[in-house]
Structures are given as C-alpha cells and as structure tokens.
Amino acid sequence: MDNPGMDAPATQPAEASSDVLVSLTDVNKYFGALHVLQDINLDVKRGEVLVVIGPSGSGKSTLCRAINRLEPINSGSITLDGQKLPEEGKPLARLRADVGMVFQSFNLFAHKSILENVTLGPLKVRRLKPAEAKKQAMELLERVGVANQANKLPAQLSGGQQQRVAIARALAMQPKVMLFDEPTSALDPEMVNEVLDVMVSLASEGMTMVVVTHEMGFARKAADRVVFMADGRIVEQAPPDQFFDNPQSERAKDFLSKILTH
Ligand SMILES: Nc1ncnc2c1ncn2[C@@H]1O[C@H](COP(=O)(O)OP(=O)(O)OP(=O)(O)O)[C@@H](O)[C@H]1O
Ligand SMILES: [Mg+2]
C-alpha cells in the first residue's frame, strides 16, 4: 500500500486473463494411436463467437467434448473462467452446468415433456424451486418460439423445434459458454434457419459460443473468428470475411472449394 505503483503490474495479468473465458494450452488427445488433438492452443474471449470448421475427422467434436470434459485429454490444460477443469464429482457437475452443449442429435429425454426437459437440470443441479424453474423454462421456450409445445413429448415436435428446445434446455442452466456441435446438420433444410436464427440472436446478446458448423451464412453473420482444423490441428484462424474470401493455407482453400461447390 505504501507504493501503489508497485501493485499495478502484479494485478495486470489477472485482469488481462479475465477477458478469456475458455483457454486451451498445448492440448493433446489420443484415441489409441490416433493423435486427434495436436498441440491445440486456443483462447475464447468472453462474448466471443467462434466458428470451428474443417474436414470430417479433423477433431472438431473431440475439441468440443474436451471443453466440457466429456473427453479427458492426455496432456495440456483447459481452463474455464480461470479454473482448471475439474476431473470428477460435484465440481465436474458444476462445470457441466456452466458449459451448455447442443449436439447434432437433439438428445432430449424422450419420456419427459418439453417443459420437464427444460426444468430438470435447474431443479436437480441449480436447485431452483419448482415454480421458479417453470417460470424460467417458459420464458426460454417463449424465446426460442416453442412455448405452445410445452406439454408435448419430444417425438411430437419437428426436428427444428426439438433442437430449439435443446438450446432452451442448455440455456436454463445459465451457462457461461455454449458449445454447438453441428446443431443443424441432422435437420431438414427448411428447419435449419429457425435454429440458426435462435443462435444468431444468442450471439448478438453476448453469449460466448463455440459453434462447429458448415453453415457459412451463419459464420459470416455471427462469428467473430473462424478456426479451421485439419488432422487434429488448428491450421488457420481469421475473422470470417478474411477466412472465406482469402484463405491462406492449401488445406483451407481445398476444403472451401469442396463445400462451396455443393
Ligand atoms: N470414441 C472414439 N474412439 C476412437 N476414435 C474416435 C472416437 N471419437 C472420435 N474418434 C476419431 O477421432 C478423430 C476425430 O474425430 P471427431 O469426431 O472429433 O472429428 P470431427 O472433426 O468432429 O468429424 P465430423 O466432421 O465427421 O463430425 C476421427 O478420426 C474419429 O474417427
Ligand atoms: Mg464431429
């Protein structure tokens, strides 16, 4: 306190790092002999929307799954909001609650109503009171445009509606970051936009998002940064316009020429 000037440098790193919500450092992951994540270094800033693209098998899903520890990593470290990912027990359950995940297949509980699907996590993990959980769930279902389906079972909804429920269910846990792994690739084409619209509005509200998708329109509209992966590595990363209009690596050029001609 005698010399406030001396304190300033010491506090700087902590303040600087608070901008970063998810941080991967030298992350390596193997499936047997297959080296699926190779020295991945990636920081996701608070409020940033990151789109991850790359060929099949390049490690995009594994990267997402590593961030909420559905897949343990072999070396390196991953932190969420400055905390190393917990390995097990209650801290791991809390981490999972902080990291919302939406998969290609909607993964709703088939025998529970839409409303129950959305209230279950908050009741069990966040320990909300039933009335509170219901109120919050109805607000979220309203926001994604399916409040009128609340009492139905998942199978009674279209794929696009189910995926919007899956987004509402993840949001109900009040996550710090949302991970989306090809959320629209199992949908009939006419339902893709209703899901992307929800994601665009989430992005514009400041949600931190990691989105694996080949939807270039979404990437251009909503992404702050595109990360291109191939063979378990981050080959290239850039703002979307720069990446799509002027890719640098041969791998990215080749990949874009393939997906853009279809
Ligand atoms: N549980 C597993 N056991 C063994 N190998 C796996 C497992 N999960 C993924 N792999 C392999 O790891 C590599 C990366 O898989 P990953 O699913 O992360 O790729 P991806 O980029 O998401 O591909 P896609 O675009 O097809 O979804 C692939 O070669 C895949 O076959
Ligand atoms: Mg995948």
Side-chain angles (χ1 to χ4, degrees), residues 21-23 64-72 78-101 125-126 170 173-179:
L21 187 59
V22 182
S23 181
C64 279
R65 293 166 60 81
I67 294 175
N68 69 357
R69 224 177 175 287
L70 285 172
E71 292 290 354
I78 304 180
T79 60
L80 176 72
D81 218 355
Q83 306 282 314
K84 212 162 180 272
L85 297 195
E87 301 203 344
E88 54 192 18
K90 279 208 174 125
L92 180 58
R94 263 200 300 277
L95 166 89
R96 295 259 166 80
D98 282 342
V99 182
M101 178 125 193
V125 181
R126 296 287 192 210
M173 300 297 272
Q174 297 174 335
K176 292 179 177 170
V177 54
M178 287 281 284
L179 309 177

Side-chain angles (χ1 to χ4, degrees), residues 19-96:
D19 264 11
V20 174
L21 187 59
V22 182
S23 181
L24 291 87
T25 308
D26 298 328
V27 168
N28 284 281
K29 163 80 185 172
Y30 296 82
F31 284 118
L34 194 63
H35 196 176
V36 285
L37 295 179
Q38 306 191 24
D39 296 317
I40 301 288
N41 286 285
L42 182 67
D43 282 351
V44 188
K45 293 206 194 91
R46 232 171 264 280
E48 188 175 25
V49 178
L50 202 78
V51 161
V52 181
I53 68 172
S56 181
S58 55
K60 307 178 298 292
S61 295
T62 307
L63 179 79
C64 279
R65 293 166 60 81
I67 294 175
N68 69 357
R69 224 177 175 287
L70 285 172
E71 292 290 354
I73 57 176
N74 295 98
S75 67
S77 76
I78 304 180
T79 60
L80 176 72
D81 218 355
Q83 306 282 314
K84 212 162 180 272
L85 297 195
E87 301 203 344
E88 54 192 18
K90 279 208 174 125
L92 180 58
R94 263 200 300 277
L95 166 89
R96 295 259 166 80

Side-chain angles (χ1 to χ4, degrees), residues 89-188:
K90 279 208 174 125
L92 180 58
R94 263 200 300 277
L95 166 89
R96 295 259 166 80
D98 282 342
V99 182
M101 178 125 193
V102 176
F103 301 89
Q104 178 175 337
S105 51
F106 325 121
N107 292 103
L108 297 175
F109 300 111
H111 303 293
K112 296 199 182 293
S113 73
I114 296 306
L115 180 63
E116 287 167 333
N117 264 278
V118 181
T119 55
L120 196 66
L123 288 171
K124 290 225 158 140
V125 181
R126 296 287 192 210
R127 305 224 169 263
L128 256 59
K129 296 201 179 81
E132 246 177 293
K134 183 177 175 188
K135 180 167 175 284
Q136 179 197 252
M138 288 309 297
E139 283 167 6
L140 286 167
L141 290 172
E142 188 73 49
R143 187 164 147 196
V144 301
V146 288
N148 55 350
Q149 314 288 327
N151 297 317
K152 292 189 180 167
L153 291 172
Q156 295 173 286
L157 271 60
S158 74
Q161 290 172 325
Q162 289 187 54
Q163 196 59 310
R164 286 181 283 148
V165 174
I167 295 172
R169 182 176 63 172
L171 290 174
M173 300 297 272
Q174 297 174 335
K176 292 179 177 170
V177 54
M178 287 281 284
L179 309 177
F180 293 86
D181 190 0
E182 304 207 30
T184 59
S185 57
L187 296 177
D188 291 337

